[in-house]
Coordinates of all heavy atoms in Angstrom, one line a residue:
M1 N -13.2 -10.4 1.0 CA -13.9 -10.2 2.2 C -12.9 -9.9 3.3 O -11.7 -10.3 3.3 CB -14.6 -11.5 2.6 CG -15.7 -12.0 1.7 SD -16.6 -13.4 2.4 CE -18.2 -12.9 1.9
T2 N -13.3 -9.0 4.2 CA -12.5 -8.6 5.3 C -13.2 -8.7 6.6 O -14.5 -8.7 6.6 CB -12.0 -7.1 5.1 OG1 -13.1 -6.3 5.0 CG2 -11.2 -7.0 3.8
T3 N -12.5 -8.7 7.7 CA -13.1 -8.7 9.0 C -12.9 -7.4 9.6 O -12.0 -6.7 9.4 CB -12.5 -9.8 10.0 OG1 -11.1 -9.5 10.1 CG2 -12.7 -11.2 9.4
H4 N -13.9 -7.0 10.4 CA -13.9 -5.7 11.1 C -14.3 -5.9 12.6 O -15.2 -6.7 12.9 CB -14.9 -4.7 10.4 CG -14.5 -4.3 9.1 ND1 -13.8 -3.1 8.9 CD2 -14.7 -4.8 7.9 CE1 -13.5 -3.0 7.6 NE2 -14.1 -4.0 6.9
F5 N -13.6 -5.2 13.4 CA -14.0 -5.2 14.9 C -15.1 -4.1 15.0 O -14.9 -3.0 14.6 CB -12.8 -4.8 15.7 CG -13.1 -4.7 17.2 CD1 -13.2 -5.9 17.9 CD2 -13.3 -3.5 17.8 CE1 -13.5 -5.8 19.3 CE2 -13.6 -3.4 19.1 CZ -13.7 -4.5 19.9
V6 N -16.2 -4.5 15.7 CA -17.2 -3.5 16.0 C -17.6 -3.5 17.4 O -17.4 -4.5 18.1 CB -18.5 -3.8 15.1 CG1 -18.2 -3.6 13.6 CG2 -19.0 -5.1 15.4
S7 N -18.1 -2.4 17.9 CA -18.7 -2.3 19.2 C -20.1 -1.7 19.1 O -20.3 -0.8 18.3 CB -17.8 -1.4 20.1 OG -18.3 -1.3 21.4
A8 N -21.1 -2.3 19.8 CA -22.4 -1.9 19.7 C -23.1 -1.9 21.0 O -22.7 -2.7 21.9 CB -23.2 -2.8 18.7
E9 N -24.2 -1.2 21.2 CA -24.9 -1.1 22.4 C -26.3 -1.6 22.1 O -27.0 -1.2 21.1 CB -25.0 0.3 22.9 CG -25.4 0.4 24.3 CD -25.3 1.8 24.9 OE1 -26.1 2.7 24.5 OE2 -24.4 2.1 25.6
V10 N -26.8 -2.6 22.9 CA -28.2 -3.1 22.7 C -28.9 -3.1 24.0 O -28.4 -3.1 25.1 CB -28.1 -4.6 22.2 CG1 -27.5 -4.7 20.8 CG2 -27.4 -5.5 23.1
D11 N -30.3 -3.0 23.8 CA -31.1 -3.0 25.0 C -31.1 -4.4 25.6 O -31.1 -5.4 24.9 CB -32.6 -2.7 24.6 CG -32.7 -1.3 24.2 OD1 -32.0 -0.4 24.6 OD2 -33.6 -1.0 23.3
L12 N -31.2 -4.5 27.0 CA -31.3 -5.7 27.7 C -32.7 -6.3 27.4 O -33.7 -5.5 27.3 CB -31.0 -5.6 29.2 CG -29.6 -5.2 29.5 CD1 -29.5 -5.1 31.1 CD2 -28.7 -6.3 29.1
H13 N -32.9 -7.6 27.4 CA -34.2 -8.2 27.2 C -34.5 -9.2 28.3 O -33.6 -9.5 29.1 CB -34.2 -8.9 25.8 CG -34.1 -8.0 24.7 ND1 -35.2 -7.4 24.1 CD2 -33.1 -7.5 24.0 CE1 -34.9 -6.6 23.1 NE2 -33.5 -6.7 23.0
E14 N -35.7 -9.6 28.4 CA -36.2 -10.5 29.5 C -35.6 -11.9 29.4 O -35.4 -12.5 30.5 CB -37.7 -10.5 29.5 CG -38.3 -9.2 29.7 CD -39.7 -9.3 30.3 OE1 -40.1 -10.4 30.7 OE2 -40.4 -8.2 30.3
T15 N -35.3 -12.4 28.3 CA -34.7 -13.7 28.2 C -33.4 -13.7 27.4 O -33.1 -12.9 26.6 CB -35.7 -14.7 27.5 OG1 -35.7 -14.4 26.1 CG2 -37.1 -14.7 28.1
P16 N -32.5 -14.7 27.7 CA -31.3 -14.8 27.0 C -31.5 -15.0 25.5 O -30.7 -14.4 24.7 CB -30.6 -16.1 27.6 CG -31.2 -16.2 28.9 CD -32.6 -15.7 28.8
E17 N -32.5 -15.7 25.1 CA -32.8 -15.9 23.7 C -33.1 -14.6 23.0 O -32.7 -14.3 21.8 CB -33.9 -16.9 23.5 CG -33.6 -18.3 23.9 CD -33.7 -18.5 25.4 OE1 -34.3 -17.7 26.1 OE2 -33.2 -19.6 25.8
Q18 N -33.9 -13.7 23.6 CA -34.2 -12.4 23.1 C -33.0 -11.5 23.0 O -32.8 -10.8 22.0 CB -35.3 -11.7 23.9 CG -36.7 -12.3 23.8 CD -37.6 -11.7 24.8 OE1 -37.2 -11.2 25.9 NE2 -38.9 -11.7 24.5
L19 N -32.1 -11.6 24.0 CA -30.9 -10.8 24.0 C -30.0 -11.3 22.8 O -29.4 -10.5 22.1 CB -30.2 -10.9 25.3 CG -28.9 -10.1 25.4 CD1 -29.1 -8.6 25.1 CD2 -28.2 -10.3 26.8
H20 N -29.8 -12.6 22.7 CA -29.0 -13.1 21.7 C -29.5 -12.7 20.3 O -28.7 -12.3 19.4 CB -29.0 -14.7 21.8 CG -28.1 -15.3 20.8 ND1 -28.6 -15.7 19.5 CD2 -26.8 -15.7 20.8 CE1 -27.6 -16.2 18.8 NE2 -26.5 -16.3 19.6
S21 N -30.8 -12.7 20.1 CA -31.3 -12.3 18.8 C -31.1 -10.8 18.5 O -30.7 -10.4 17.4 CB -32.8 -12.6 18.8 OG -33.4 -12.2 17.6
A22 N -31.3 -10.0 19.5 CA -31.1 -8.6 19.4 C -29.6 -8.2 19.1 O -29.3 -7.4 18.2 CB -31.5 -7.8 20.7
I23 N -28.7 -9.0 19.7 CA -27.3 -8.8 19.4 C -27.0 -9.2 18.0 O -26.3 -8.4 17.2 CB -26.4 -9.6 20.4 CG1 -26.5 -9.0 21.8 CG2 -24.9 -9.6 19.9 CD1 -25.9 -9.9 22.9
E24 N -27.4 -10.3 17.5 CA -27.2 -10.7 16.1 C -27.8 -9.7 15.1 O -27.1 -9.4 14.1 CB -27.8 -12.1 15.9 CG -27.1 -13.2 16.6 CD -25.8 -13.7 16.0 OE1 -25.7 -13.6 14.8 OE2 -24.9 -14.2 16.7
I25 N -29.0 -9.2 15.4 CA -29.6 -8.3 14.5 C -28.8 -7.0 14.4 O -28.5 -6.4 13.3 CB -31.0 -8.0 14.9 CG1 -31.9 -9.2 14.6 CG2 -31.6 -6.7 14.2 CD1 -33.3 -9.2 15.2
E26 N -28.3 -6.5 15.6 CA -27.5 -5.3 15.6 C -26.2 -5.5 14.9 O -25.8 -4.6 14.1 CB -27.2 -4.9 17.1 CG -26.5 -3.6 17.2 CD -27.2 -2.3 16.7 OE1 -28.5 -2.3 16.7 OE2 -26.6 -1.4 16.3
L27 N -25.5 -6.6 15.1 CA -24.2 -6.8 14.4 C -24.4 -7.0 12.9 O -23.5 -6.6 12.2 CB -23.5 -8.0 15.1 CG -23.0 -7.8 16.5 CD1 -22.3 -9.1 17.0 CD2 -22.0 -6.6 16.6
Q28 N -25.5 -7.5 12.5 CA -25.7 -7.7 11.0 C -25.8 -6.4 10.3 O -25.6 -6.3 9.1 CB -27.0 -8.6 10.8 CG -26.7 -10.0 11.1 CD -28.0 -10.9 10.9 OE1 -29.1 -10.4 10.7 NE2 -27.8 -12.2 11.1
K29 N -26.0 -5.3 11.0 CA -26.0 -4.0 10.4 C -24.6 -3.6 9.9 O -24.4 -2.8 9.0 CB -26.4 -2.9 11.4 CG -27.9 -3.0 11.8 CD -28.2 -2.0 12.8 CE -29.6 -2.1 13.3 NZ -29.9 -1.2 14.4
Y30 N -23.6 -4.3 10.4 CA -22.2 -4.0 10.1 C -21.6 -5.1 9.2 O -20.6 -4.9 8.5 CB -21.3 -3.9 11.3 CG -21.8 -2.8 12.3 CD1 -22.6 -3.2 13.4 CD2 -21.4 -1.5 12.1 CE1 -23.0 -2.2 14.2 CE2 -21.8 -0.5 13.0 CZ -22.6 -0.9 14.1 OH -23.1 0.1 14.9
G31 N -22.2 -6.2 9.1 CA -21.7 -7.4 8.3 C -22.2 -8.7 8.9 O -23.1 -8.7 9.7
E32 N -21.6 -9.8 8.5 CA -21.9 -11.1 9.0 C -21.2 -11.4 10.3 O -20.0 -11.5 10.3 CB -21.6 -12.2 7.9 CG -22.0 -13.6 8.3 CD -23.5 -13.7 8.5 OE1 -24.3 -13.1 7.7 OE2 -23.9 -14.5 9.3
P33 N -21.9 -11.5 11.4 CA -21.3 -11.7 12.7 C -20.5 -13.0 12.7 O -21.0 -14.1 12.3 CB -22.4 -11.8 13.7 CG -23.6 -11.2 13.0 CD -23.4 -11.4 11.6
L34 N -19.2 -13.0 13.1 CA -18.4 -14.1 13.3 C -18.3 -14.6 14.7 O -18.5 -15.8 15.0 CB -17.0 -13.9 12.7 CG -16.9 -13.5 11.2 CD1 -15.5 -13.1 10.9 CD2 -17.3 -14.7 10.4
R35 N -17.9 -13.7 15.6 CA -17.9 -14.0 17.0 C -18.1 -12.7 17.8 O -17.7 -11.6 17.3 CB -16.7 -14.8 17.4 CG -15.4 -14.0 17.5 CD -14.2 -14.9 17.8 NE -14.3 -15.5 19.1 CZ -13.8 -16.7 19.4 NH1 -13.1 -17.4 18.6 NH2 -13.9 -17.1 20.7
W36 N -18.7 -12.8 18.9 CA -18.9 -11.6 19.7 C -19.0 -11.9 21.2 O -19.1 -13.1 21.6 CB -20.2 -10.9 19.3 CG -21.4 -11.7 19.2 CD1 -21.9 -12.4 18.2 CD2 -22.3 -12.1 20.3 NE1 -23.0 -13.1 18.5 CE2 -23.3 -12.9 19.8 CE3 -22.3 -11.8 21.7 CZ2 -24.3 -13.5 20.6 CZ3 -23.3 -12.3 22.5 CH2 -24.3 -13.1 22.0
A37 N -18.9 -10.9 22.1 CA -19.0 -11.1 23.5 C -19.7 -9.8 24.1 O -19.4 -8.7 23.6 CB -17.7 -11.3 24.1
V38 N -20.4 -10.0 25.2 CA -21.0 -8.9 26.0 C -19.8 -8.5 26.9 O -19.3 -9.3 27.7 CB -22.2 -9.3 26.8 CG1 -22.6 -8.2 27.7 CG2 -23.3 -9.8 25.8
T39 N -19.4 -7.2 26.8 CA -18.2 -6.8 27.5 C -18.6 -5.9 28.7 O -17.8 -5.6 29.5 CB -17.2 -6.1 26.6 OG1 -17.9 -5.0 26.0 CG2 -16.7 -7.0 25.6
D40 N -19.8 -5.4 28.7 CA -20.3 -4.5 29.8 C -21.8 -4.5 29.8 O -22.4 -4.6 28.8 CB -19.7 -3.1 29.6 CG -19.9 -2.2 30.8 OD1 -20.0 -2.7 31.9 OD2 -19.9 -1.0 30.7
V41 N -22.3 -4.3 31.0 CA -23.8 -4.2 31.2 C -24.0 -3.0 32.1 O -23.4 -2.9 33.2 CB -24.4 -5.5 31.8 CG1 -25.9 -5.3 32.1 CG2 -24.2 -6.7 30.9
D42 N -24.9 -2.1 31.6 CA -25.3 -0.9 32.4 C -26.7 -1.2 32.9 O -27.7 -1.0 32.1 CB -25.2 0.3 31.6 CG -25.5 1.6 32.4 OD1 -26.2 1.5 33.4 OD2 -25.0 2.7 32.0
V43 N -26.9 -1.7 34.1 CA -28.2 -2.1 34.6 C -29.1 -0.9 34.7 O -30.3 -1.0 34.4 CB -28.0 -2.8 36.0 CG1 -29.4 -3.2 36.5 CG2 -27.2 -4.1 35.8
A44 N -28.6 0.2 35.1 CA -29.4 1.4 35.3 C -30.0 1.9 34.0 O -31.2 2.3 33.9 CB -28.6 2.6 35.9
R45 N -29.3 1.8 32.9 CA -29.7 2.2 31.6 C -30.4 1.0 30.8 O -30.9 1.2 29.7 CB -28.6 2.8 30.7 CG -28.2 4.1 31.3 CD -27.0 4.7 30.4 NE -27.3 4.6 29.0 CZ -26.4 4.1 28.1 NH1 -25.2 3.7 28.5 NH2 -26.7 4.1 26.8
Q46 N -30.2 -0.2 31.4 CA -30.7 -1.4 30.7 C -30.1 -1.6 29.3 O -30.8 -1.9 28.3 CB -32.3 -1.4 30.6 CG -32.9 -1.5 32.0 CD -32.7 -2.9 32.6 OE1 -33.3 -3.9 32.1 NE2 -31.9 -3.0 33.6
K47 N -28.8 -1.5 29.3 CA -28.0 -1.6 28.0 C -26.9 -2.6 28.2 O -26.3 -2.7 29.3 CB -27.4 -0.3 27.6 CG -28.4 0.8 27.3 CD -29.1 0.7 25.9 CE -30.0 1.8 25.6 NZ -30.6 1.7 24.3
A48 N -26.5 -3.3 27.1 CA -25.4 -4.2 27.1 C -24.4 -3.7 26.0 O -24.9 -3.3 24.9 CB -25.8 -5.6 26.8
V49 N -23.1 -3.7 26.3 CA -22.2 -3.4 25.3 C -21.6 -4.7 24.7 O -21.2 -5.6 25.5 CB -21.0 -2.5 25.8 CG1 -19.9 -2.3 24.8 CG2 -21.5 -1.2 26.4
V50 N -21.6 -4.8 23.4 CA -21.2 -6.0 22.7 C -20.0 -5.6 21.8 O -20.1 -4.6 21.1 CB -22.3 -6.5 21.8 CG1 -21.9 -7.8 21.0 CG2 -23.5 -6.9 22.7
E51 N -19.0 -6.4 21.8 CA -17.8 -6.2 20.9 C -17.7 -7.5 20.2 O -17.8 -8.6 20.7 CB -16.6 -5.9 21.7 CG -16.6 -4.6 22.5 CD -15.4 -4.3 23.3 OE1 -14.6 -5.2 23.5 OE2 -15.3 -3.2 23.7
G52 N -17.3 -7.4 18.9 CA -17.2 -8.6 18.1 C -16.6 -8.3 16.7 O -16.2 -7.2 16.4
Y53 N -16.5 -9.4 16.0 CA -15.9 -9.3 14.6 C -17.0 -9.7 13.6 O -17.8 -10.6 13.8 CB -14.7 -10.3 14.4 CG -13.5 -9.7 15.2 CD1 -13.2 -10.1 16.5 CD2 -12.7 -8.8 14.5 CE1 -12.1 -9.6 17.1 CE2 -11.5 -8.3 15.2 CZ -11.3 -8.7 16.5 OH -10.2 -8.2 17.1
V54 N -17.1 -8.9 12.5 CA -18.0 -9.2 11.4 C -17.2 -9.4 10.1 O -16.2 -8.8 10.0 CB -19.1 -8.1 11.3 CG1 -19.9 -8.0 12.5 CG2 -18.5 -6.8 11.0
L55 N -17.8 -10.1 9.2 CA -17.2 -10.3 7.9 C -17.9 -9.4 7.0 O -19.2 -9.4 6.9 CB -17.4 -11.8 7.5 CG -16.7 -12.3 6.2 CD1 -15.2 -12.2 6.4 CD2 -17.1 -13.7 6.0
V56 N -17.1 -8.7 6.2 CA -17.7 -7.7 5.3 C -17.2 -7.9 3.9 O -16.0 -8.2 3.7 CB -17.3 -6.2 5.7 CG1 -17.8 -5.2 4.8 CG2 -17.7 -5.9 7.1
E57 N -18.1 -7.8 2.9 CA -17.7 -8.0 1.5 C -16.7 -6.9 1.1 O -16.8 -5.8 1.6 CB -19.0 -7.8 0.6 CG -20.0 -8.8 0.7 CD -19.7 -10.1 -0.1 OE1 -18.9 -10.0 -1.0 OE2 -20.3 -11.1 0.3
A58 N -15.7 -7.2 0.4 CA -14.7 -6.3 0.0 C -15.2 -5.0 -0.7 O -14.7 -3.9 -0.4 CB -13.6 -7.0 -0.9
S59 N -16.2 -5.2 -1.5 CA -16.8 -4.0 -2.2 C -17.5 -3.0 -1.3 O -17.6 -1.9 -1.6 CB -17.7 -4.5 -3.3 OG -18.8 -5.2 -2.8
S60 N -18.0 -3.5 -0.1 CA -18.7 -2.6 0.8 C -17.9 -2.2 2.0 O -18.3 -1.5 2.8 CB -20.0 -3.3 1.3 OG -19.7 -4.5 2.0
A61 N -16.6 -2.6 2.0 CA -15.7 -2.3 3.1 C -15.3 -0.8 2.9 O -15.0 -0.4 1.8 CB -14.5 -3.2 3.2
T62 N -15.2 -0.1 4.0 CA -14.7 1.3 3.9 C -13.2 1.3 4.1 O -12.7 0.5 5.0 CB -15.3 2.2 5.0 OG1 -15.2 1.6 6.3 CG2 -16.8 2.4 4.6
P63 N -12.4 2.1 3.4 CA -10.9 2.1 3.5 C -10.4 2.6 4.8 O -11.1 3.3 5.6 CB -10.5 3.0 2.4 CG -11.7 3.7 1.8 CD -12.9 3.0 2.4

């Protein structure tokens, strides 16, 4: 298993719970989320930038 740094953009949601869920779902596309943070918010576009680390199986990791 290896860790990878990822950056993703997600839509802002009406509640913190909905935003948290959307972030977890987006990061799971890259692997198992370990830790993440919202690093930027674009209010005009209603987007949040999330950066974090995910755990990836060695067999599915790209070199």
Side-chain angles (χ1 to χ4, degrees):
M1 297 189 140
T2 59
T3 59
H4 291 268
F5 177 80
V6 296
S7 181
E9 195 173 74
V10 297
D11 293 329
L12 292 178
H13 291 274
E14 296 204 12
T15 69
E17 292 81 13
Q18 290 173 330
L19 180 59
H20 183 272
S21 179
I23 291 168
E24 291 282 332
I25 290 168
E26 183 64 28
L27 290 178
Q28 285 176 355
K29 294 177 183 177
Y30 302 96
E32 181 64 32
L34 296 174
R35 76 185 293 151
W36 53 264
V38 175
T39 58
D40 192 23
V41 174
D42 185 335
V43 177
R45 291 180 46 232
Q46 291 292 291
K47 299 281 185 181
V49 176
V50 177
E51 295 178 347
Y53 286 93
V54 296
L55 188 62
V56 179
E57 295 277 340
S59 61
S60 64
T62 53

